[in-house]
Amino acid sequence: MTSTTLTLRRLNRTLLRRQLLDARAEVPVADAVARLLAIQAQEPNWVFAGLWSRVACFARADLEAAVEARTLVRGPLLRGTQHLVTADDYAWLRPTVAPVLHGLARSTYYRRETDGIDPAELVALAREVLGADLVPRKDLAAALAARWPGRRGAVLAAAVEARSPVVHGPSTSAFGSWWSRRSIRVADAAAWLGRPVGDADPGALVRRYLAAFGPATIMDVQAYTGLTRLRPLTDALRDDPGAGLRTYRGPDGAELLDLADAGLADEDAPAPVRFLAAFDNAVLGHRDRTRLLPEEHRTTVMPGYSMVHATVLVDGFVAATWTVADGSLAVHPLVPLPAGVEDEVLAEGARMAAFLDLDADGVTLGR
């Protein structure tokens, strides 16, 4: 059977469509998050920027209300980092990525503080402290350090989050965010959601990933989720006529998996200027990021130390980064921008600045 070969531009336009970056979606914020599978939320304030570029008429209050209503929750998930997901998805996603989190709990960073401590005892005490309520993370850390003197409570608390389903509660103590690192409160996930966490479902994770990021290679799936050894599963899904998958070939000849009914965008589809958040899903969604981020700009956007800068898409590809400082938004082009495109970038930047309560008239564009 011969697979269709997809061009880089077609992969780019398809990713924009599935990431809601070709046109803002007129859906509730929880529906948008579900379509994206998860939103990177390691740096909480950036969540607002990422959703504003994807959801029509998005307001910060929409997200705050969804978190307060427990429709959306934040916790350590994909790759062990903090993500925002729907409560329904958390129930199966957390146990599915548990091997990644448990692996982190066994890493050297945690072992320095947890050696000699029975993991079951650690989790049991944490659950006792948490009960059915939100508890400041610092209080949980203090209780754990009191039980095991000489250990760093903050690391013990983080180990609990890696070993047991825990979510972060909402908070309005930080400007522009419903939580901050200084005021994070945590809760046992089952108590917070009012239902037990379910069973792992790696097949569902593969399908939902493809819906949000496909067509993609198995290595792309593993890079985004943090899971490994998924090939037997993806091979079984690919070969199962009832699984609803199909294959393509990428520009380099690699096999790409996708949902058979997902559809592809035309490579000449319009691609408006979009401002992406730092650590944006669209940038981090694949092992091979060239469908969005040209290789020559990768080290500028991703300089190391786990940093992924906020970027600007022009014609569907990263062409600039952007920063916020002293109440103003600044755009830093990575390539020369034509005069007409400069105007579009400045206009979209002004709209983003207004949304973030920055100086909309003070957006600057470097040369």
Side-chain angles (χ1 to χ4, degrees):
M1 180 178 178
T2 303
S3 297
T4 302
T5 297
L6 303 179
T7 64
L8 179 62
R9 283 183 65 85
R10 195 165 195 194
L11 288 172
N12 170 267
R13 294 310 197 255
T14 299
L15 177 62
L16 297 183
R17 176 185 292 177
R18 297 192 190 182
Q19 283 291 302
L20 311 181
L21 292 168
D22 61 338
R24 288 180 170 89
E26 297 185 4
V27 297
V29 63
D31 290 356
V33 172
R35 285 172 61 173
L36 298 167
L37 175 60
I39 291 285
Q40 165 68 258
Q42 193 74 14
E43 296 290 340
N45 290 322
W46 285 110
V47 175
F48 293 94
L51 285 169
W52 178 82
S53 287
R54 290 170 163 90
V55 180
C57 303
F58 174 69
R60 277 184 261 179
D62 299 334
L63 185 50
E64 292 166 354
V67 175
E68 291 283 358
R70 309 187 190 189
T71 304
L72 294 174
V73 295
R74 176 189 188 243
L77 290 166
L78 302 161
R79 306 182 305 284
T81 63
Q82 306 295 336
H83 278 76
L84 180 77
V85 296
T86 67
D88 288 341
D89 284 338
Y90 183 94
W92 64 267
L93 186 55
R94 177 56 174 77
T96 302
V97 300
V100 179
L101 294 162
H102 292 172
L104 289 174
R106 294 189 296 270
S107 67
T108 301
Y109 173 77
Y110 290 101
R111 286 206 316 270
R112 291 193 188 103
E113 305 300 324
T114 60
D115 271 353
I117 298 177
D118 180 358
E121 185 180 356
L122 178 68
V123 170
L125 176 57
R127 287 179 173 170
E128 181 181 329
V129 173
L130 294 176
D133 298 319
L134 284 167
V135 173
R137 183 193 264 168
K138 61 182 179 61
D139 291 353
L140 173 61
L144 297 174
R147 170 63 181 82
W148 289 283
R151 314 289 181 115
R152 287 190 293 165
V155 178
L156 296 179
V160 168
E161 293 192 40
R163 290 192 173 278
S164 182
V166 171
V167 298
H168 296 177
S171 170
T172 55
S173 63
F175 171 76
S177 175
W178 10 260
W179 59 69
S180 78
R181 289 185 171 181
R182 298 183 303 277
S183 63
I184 287 176
R185 295 182 297 162
V186 295
D188 175 77
W192 182 253
L193 298 175
R195 54 181 159 168
V197 174
D199 298 322
D201 193 343
L205 178 54
V206 170
R207 294 179 61 83
R208 290 288 299 280
Y209 169 85
L210 293 175
F213 295 97
T217 67
I218 176 58
M219 297 305 292
D220 290 329
V221 181
Q222 293 185 162
Y224 182 71
T225 64
L227 293 169
T228 58
R229 302 177 182 176
L230 289 179
R231 186 169 295 281
L233 171 63
T234 57
D235 285 350
L237 290 171
R238 180 197 59 200
D239 297 337
D240 179 2
L245 299 188
R246 67 159 299 171
T247 62
Y248 299 98
R249 291 288 171 186
D252 60 356
E255 181 182 73
L256 305 175
L257 286 175
D258 200 16
L259 302 180
D261 59 356
L264 302 172
D266 188 271
E267 66 177 25
D268 295 322
V273 170
R274 286 287 184 263
F275 278 59
L276 302 188
F279 310 98
D280 199 277
N281 288 22
V283 175
L284 292 173
H286 302 83
R287 184 189 186 199
D288 178 1
R289 297 177 172 123
T290 55
R291 70 180 66 192
L292 195 80
L293 175 60
E295 180 61 25
E296 60 266 30
H297 305 319
R298 180 177 56 81
T299 56
T300 300
V301 173
M302 306 176 68
Y305 305 101
S306 300
M307 184 63 212
V308 183
H309 291 299
T311 56
V312 182
L313 301 183
V314 173
D315 190 30
F317 294 89
V318 171
T321 61
W322 62 283
T323 55
V324 173
D326 300 323
S328 297
L329 188 155
V331 178
H332 314 282
L334 300 171
V335 294
L337 303 178
V341 173
E342 284 189 0
D343 293 342
E344 292 179 41
V345 169
L346 286 170
E348 184 72 355
R351 288 187 285 269
M352 174 65 84
F355 170 74
L356 296 176
D357 292 334
L358 304 172
D359 180 7
D361 296 323
V363 177
T364 60
L365 181 66
R367 293 294 188 271

